[in-house]
Amino acid sequence: MKISYNWLKQFLKLNWEAEKTGELLTNLGLEVEGISQFESIPGSLDGVVVGQVLSCDKHPNADRLKLTMVDIGSKEPVQIVCGAPNVAKGQMVPVATIGTTLYANDGKTLLIKKGKIRGVESHGMICAEDELGLGESHDGILVLSEALTPGTPCSKVFEIYKDEIFEIGLTPNRADAMSHHGVARDLKAGLKQRDIHTELITPSVSNFNIENRSLKISVSVEDTNLAPRYCGVTISNLIVQPSPDWLKNRLRAIGLNPINNVVDATNYVLHELGQPLHAFDADRIHGNKIVVKTMPSGTKFMTLDGEERILDEEDLMICDDEKPMCIAGVFGGINTGVTEKTKSIFLESAYFDPVSIRKTAKRHALNTDASFRFERGVDINNTEYCLRRAALLISEITGGDISSDIVDLYPRKKDDYQVFLSFDRINALIGQNIPGDTIKSILTSLDIQVKSSTESGLGLLIPFYRVDVQREVDVIEEVLRVYGYNNIDFKEKLNASIATSSKFEDHKLQKIIGDMLASRGFYEILNNSLSSPKYNKFLGEASKESEVTILNPLSADLSVLRQTMLFSALDTVAYNINRKKPNLNFFEFGKTYHYESSDYEERKHLSLIVTGTRNENSWISPSKPTDFYFLKAAVDLVLERLGILNTITESISPDNSIFLEGLSLKKGNTGLVTFGIVQKAILKAFDIKQEVFYADFKWGALSDIVRSNKIIFEKIPRYPEVKRDLALLLDSGISFDEIKTIAYNTERNLLKNITLFDVYTGVNLPPEKKSYAVGFTIQDDSKTLTDKQIDKIMQKLQQSFEKELGAELR
């Protein structure tokens, strides 16, 4: 936000240097990010002097050039080649001397050097008004008054407005400081704390007078919740023309382009007092009637920028008897704006619901000075005062007459906020005792009324416009920023206590697993919890009922909270693939959000997502595509690191909405992980053409199990283990999990491990059969096994497989 120092000085009589004032503003919480210089004429015409043309002859080598001798107040006249058709002997002209930098209207600069033009030396430049930044004309050189003296600096001939501009990084909560008056109010409070007492001067509206009542426009508000206060007045017999120079300079100094005297006046009051205003061409208001209401969804409306916008049923509109004229608090319409033909206006000053304005502005992708202020909250009690101020200003610079009574619709007054401030609380939070009188002085300088005072604290009345000060801690923050953070003493002694925490705290477990995954080539991602509702169609009808919708979304694509980590991860995958990074291994810790059983619920998750190839292609190791088993190995790795892998049971994943094929892992009846191949229909929605594998860990359930899991330590066995293999011919529908279950039930004590190291299907096997090569590890912790004992165990296993699975040895 740009703040003019000259403008501030109209509110406060202050002679400080800008740097000192900027330092105080920063200490008050209005961070000054930079101070820049403004000049109404760029360069301030430094190096440009008045010259008198002593002679003007034809250039010897060019028909369209003139060779002039010009007196610029130096000992000798200078020779200048000029191409302007209107240059003539005896004229007083602006001359840019050698070394001068000119700043043109188009932003380009020109350094004047001694040079030759068509073989003739030229020692300067006779300038046109656009070359000096004085106007737009380039028809010829600028001819000055004959009363001027050669050599007079042009900076003394033309009035140059100079200013210093503060660039303030305004935080969203400081709606009260969105104007020069608001900044001046803070500055006054800061000065008072430093024993500099100065009055805050506000523009007077005592001269407001209704010249006649010839133009009455009625106003009605259909929804006072959306427009709690609406004021208006008419001004007739005005002349729309360019604004006076003082007004143009004020607006240009803060980065605004002047338009005409009516629009410039409304912009001036906006930045002066923080109240947005809008002027309608009164002759274009059908029925002499203003209606503040919403329009049916789908209504078309043309805004001032020439864009046709489709209205939503929640968009508040300013309408006449026939049509909408303006998007309330956001943007005006093209058909009722002020033009050079406008003779009378209806001037609006209102307070609109901040949430409604923000939704409308975001819905139509509009960000205007008006919406910026309305959506943060303006001073509802200042609405009529600002209208009077703007009406007086417009009357003054347009010659118009105020031609109606002020319409002020304010049916339900907004109450100020009441807060009790405890002295003990403020001293405890700040860490230093601040005298009660100092606290009162600071609060009153911020327009906060002290309604009651006791030994324990103060009863306060907070102005309605201070939307950021509604709690005791907010008041304490206000006191502290004005008192000065730099005035708080630091203790020489530092007290601290040693905190004890469990090794199973969530952030510690996340770090352990995160570090392990990173060491295995995974990259951590952090995605937005906001998602698009269009993706939830892949989760089935039930997801619609459990959807958590944002009341005030930034956009339609970020209007719901995610119910799965998958879609935001796929966004990241698609982003990387589109940038030629197809081989991806990602993990993310995050939450999903659900509305179930009339309550909101957050669930913690860990997600893994892999796609592409496992490794880069090389001469020693050709690239291998990522597959389901690569993901399963990563899942097992996580569970093993958490110490619960051996307690998990597997089953086919029932979640067919997400997975083409997949597995679910459980402990007892508690589901822990689902993973598999992502459905092609989902990938198509993200324009992903390669296979993607995804795993979803229910991190909350995993954490609970890990905390309750007891680790049992055993001695390393002293006796050797024995490995034996069986090649089993099985029905094709039998799974390895069934073999494991039967094996462990058959030999519970000595069987330590079972592995599947080969699967064969094809020729030389009967139809609907397959061959499994299964490895068994057998060990006795108390003695060395004999061949006889080993053979007996293997025979028992073989018989169990034959009996329960119909297996045959190959």
Side-chain angles (χ1 to χ4, degrees), residues 62 73 84 160 181 197 369 371 429 491 506 563 567 584 635 669 684 692 790:
I160 300 174
H181 180 265
H197 298 274
D369 283 339
S371 68
L429 280 182
K491 306 294 183 183
D506 194 64
Q563 297 186 63
F567 301 137
L584 307 168
V635 170
N669 294 323
K684 186 177 180 181
V692 176
I790 296 167

Side-chain angles (χ1 to χ4, degrees), residues 35-78:
I35 303 174
S36 59
Q37 304 297 318
F38 172 79
E39 298 165 330
S40 59
I41 302 175
S44 295
L45 300 179
D46 289 341
V48 182
V49 299
V50 175
Q52 183 178 20
V53 181
L54 302 178
S55 65
C56 180
D57 302 313
K58 183 180 178 182
H59 192 289
N61 302 320
D63 293 337
R64 295 186 178 181
L65 299 178
K66 303 287 181 64
L67 186 61
T68 65
M69 295 298 292
V70 184
D71 178 7
I72 59 170
S74 56
K75 292 181 180 180
E76 299 290 336
V78 295

Side-chain angles (χ1 to χ4, degrees), residues 557-774:
D557 287 336
L558 297 172
S559 60
V560 299
L561 287 168
R562 63 184 177 186
Q563 297 186 63
T564 173
M565 306 272 283
L566 173 62
F567 301 137
S568 53
L570 287 176
D571 270 328
T572 305
V573 169
Y575 181 89
N576 281 270
I577 291 175
N578 291 337
R579 285 153 183 79
K580 308 301 180 184
K581 296 290 182 183
N583 307 320
L584 307 168
N585 300 325
F586 291 146
F587 73 94
E588 179 184 9
F589 290 98
K591 293 180 179 179
T592 61
Y593 305 85
H594 311 266
Y595 181 72
E596 294 180 355
S597 303
S598 301
D599 198 10
Y600 293 99
E601 185 179 350
E602 295 181 11
R603 299 171 188 167
K604 295 179 182 178
H605 292 262
L606 163 63
S607 65
L608 308 181
I609 192 161
V610 297
T611 187
T613 59
R614 304 186 193 189
N615 57 286
E616 297 291 336
N617 196 25
S618 70
W619 66 273
I620 196 170
S621 176
S623 63
K624 297 179 181 179
T626 297
D627 57 17
F628 175 83
Y629 299 102
F630 176 78
L631 178 64
K632 186 176 187 302
V635 170
D636 288 349
L637 202 64
V638 171
L639 297 175
E640 184 177 27
R641 183 65 184 84
L642 293 173
I644 60 174
L645 178 62
N646 293 332
T647 66
I648 301 300
T649 57
E650 293 182 0
S651 63
I652 302 297
S653 173
D655 193 354
N656 295 325
S657 61
I658 288 180
F659 298 119
L660 189 65
E661 294 179 5
L663 287 179
S664 290
L665 304 185
K666 298 181 179 180
K667 180 171 183 180
N669 294 323
T670 304
L672 299 179
V673 194
T674 56
F675 60 98
I677 308 169
V678 179
Q679 290 274 11
K680 291 183 178 180
I682 296 177
L683 299 180
K684 186 177 180 181
F686 292 86
D687 198 25
I688 298 174
K689 298 179 176 62
Q690 60 193 57
E691 274 194 322
V692 176
F693 304 90
Y694 172 73
D696 180 25
F697 292 81
K698 294 182 178 179
W699 186 253
L702 276 173
S703 300
D704 293 339
I705 290 174
V706 170
R707 290 188 187 94
S708 61
N709 189 43
K710 294 183 179 179
I711 300 175
I712 300 174
F713 295 91
E714 296 179 347
K715 291 183 178 180
I716 298 175
R718 297 173 55 191
Y719 301 98
E721 62 183 25
V722 178
K723 295 187 177 181
R724 292 287 188 270
D725 302 332
L726 289 178
L728 301 174
L729 185 65
L730 303 160
D731 292 338
S732 58
I734 294 173
S735 67
F736 176 63
D737 192 58
E738 293 177 80
I739 295 174
K740 283 175 63 176
T741 302
I742 293 171
Y744 282 124
N745 288 338
T746 302
E747 179 51 62
R748 298 179 183 274
N749 299 322
L750 302 181
L751 185 59
K752 302 300 183 182
N753 192 29
I754 306 171
T755 59
L756 176 65
F757 61 88
D758 186 48
V759 178
Y760 176 73
T761 58
V763 292
N764 300 325
L765 289 183
E768 303 298 324
K769 293 288 186 177
K770 62 183 177 183
S771 175
Y772 273 4
V774 184

Side-chain angles (χ1 to χ4, degrees), residues 80-98:
I80 299 175
V81 176
C82 180
N86 65 328
V87 64
K89 180 180 176 180
Q91 291 175 336
M92 291 293 183
V93 293
V95 178
T97 57
I98 292 174

